[in-house]
Amino acid sequence: MNTSRINNRILLSIIAVVIIITATAIFVFASMSKWEQEMVEKNMALCESYARGLLEASEGDLEVLGSAGLLNSDNLSSSEMKLLDSLLKKNSEKQLIDHEGLDGGFYLKAPDAFFGYAFPTSPPPVPAYGPPPRSYEIIRNQSRGSAVENEVYSVLQGFDAAIFPLATVPVPYNGEVVGAVWVRIHLEKHLPIVKIKQIVNRTALISIAGFIILMAISSLWTGEMTSIKREIN
């Protein structure tokens, strides 16, 4: 009987520890999930604000380029492409330098190309005409979607270890949408927190699984002890 009581106490102690670990993990996970959601929403709003600001700051140059027929041409010469890129790049650099981690520029629907790309707070080298290769298609697809649908999109995008809120705002000219302004922010510095959240999530799942297993063992143990007592009696 003493052995039975000791075993029961040990089992109850283990269950109590598992419950505490599980409750703690769930609390931490919920807190970090809330923080992550707030971080994403804040940065999405930031990107959209800067995209709208970049569009507004570029209205004069867009008017000049549109008058020259460069905004909706699908047959641009190399000199025209350089002119487009240089004029729009000045605005992008000026607008995006105010906040670390922002990069962006313009996407034109007719040539299906990026112009005016800038990442002013990035260490060199910086891509010359558009976003880096690994995120190129992601940004192109969302930018083209904004231009075709004439809609503002703010979406959390990513690949592998990279995550970035991306905002795309349609560029109107002469009654039609010729492209989109795009702005994103790099959240790589927050990735350790995201990884910790994933670890906490796994810990909670393991703890819950352990709790279920222990409850099953406890149930079997109780059944066996009951059967032994009945045999003794």
Side-chain angles (χ1 to χ4, degrees), residues 19 43 45 47 108 114 118 127 144 146 171 185 207-208 218 231-232:
I19 290 173
N43 283 285
C47 290
L108 294 182
F114 291 99
R144 186 163 184 81
S146 275
V171 175
I185 187 166
S207 298
I208 292 170
S218 176
E231 290 177 2
I232 292 173

Side-chain angles (χ1 to χ4, degrees), residues 59 62-63 65-69 71-72 171-179:
E59 286 179 352
L62 290 170
E63 184 65 32
L65 294 169
S67 298
L71 293 182
N72 51 11
V171 175
Y173 176 74
N174 211 19
E176 64 174 314
V177 177
V178 295

Side-chain angles (χ1 to χ4, degrees), residues 54 76 81 84 140 146 187 193 199 207 226:
L54 177 54
L76 296 169
M81 293 180 70
L84 268 168
R140 175 184 172 274
S146 275
L187 298 180
I193 301 297
I199 292 170
S207 298
T226 301

Side-chain angles (χ1 to χ4, degrees), residues 7 17 21 30 36 57 61 66 140 161 182 188 205 219:
N7 288 337
V17 170
I21 293 174
E36 183 182 9
D61 287 330
R140 175 184 172 274
W182 67 273
E188 281 78 2
L205 291 175
S219 178

Side-chain angles (χ1 to χ4, degrees), residues 135-149:
S135 54
Y136 189 97
E137 285 301 321
I138 295 173
I139 298 171
R140 175 184 172 274
N141 290 338
Q142 186 174 320
S143 297
R144 186 163 184 81
S146 275
V148 171
E149 301 295 332

Side-chain angles (χ1 to χ4, degrees), residues 104-215:
F106 296 79
Y107 168 83
L108 294 182
K109 187 169 58 174
D112 191 20
F114 291 99
F115 297 94
Y117 175 71
F119 192 173
T121 61
S122 170
V126 177
Y129 291 106
R134 298 185 73 186
S135 54
Y136 189 97
E137 285 301 321
I138 295 173
I139 298 171
R140 175 184 172 274
N141 290 338
Q142 186 174 320
S143 297
R144 186 163 184 81
S146 275
V148 171
E149 301 295 332
N150 192 20
E151 292 285 347
V152 176
Y153 293 133
S154 293
V155 181
L156 182 65
Q157 301 280 15
F159 58 88
D160 297 337
I163 54 172
F164 53 91
L166 172 64
T168 49
V169 177
V171 175
Y173 176 74
N174 211 19
E176 64 174 314
V177 177
V178 295
V181 176
W182 67 273
V183 173
R184 68 171 174 171
I185 187 166
H186 298 258
L187 298 180
E188 281 78 2
K189 63 182 179 180
H190 297 297
L191 284 176
I193 301 297
V194 176
K195 290 296 182 184
I196 291 172
K197 178 190 167 186
Q198 293 173 352
I199 292 170
V200 171
N201 185 27
R202 292 191 185 101
T203 302
L205 291 175
I206 292 169
S207 298
I208 292 170
F211 177 74
I212 293 172
I213 292 170
L214 283 172
M215 291 301 294

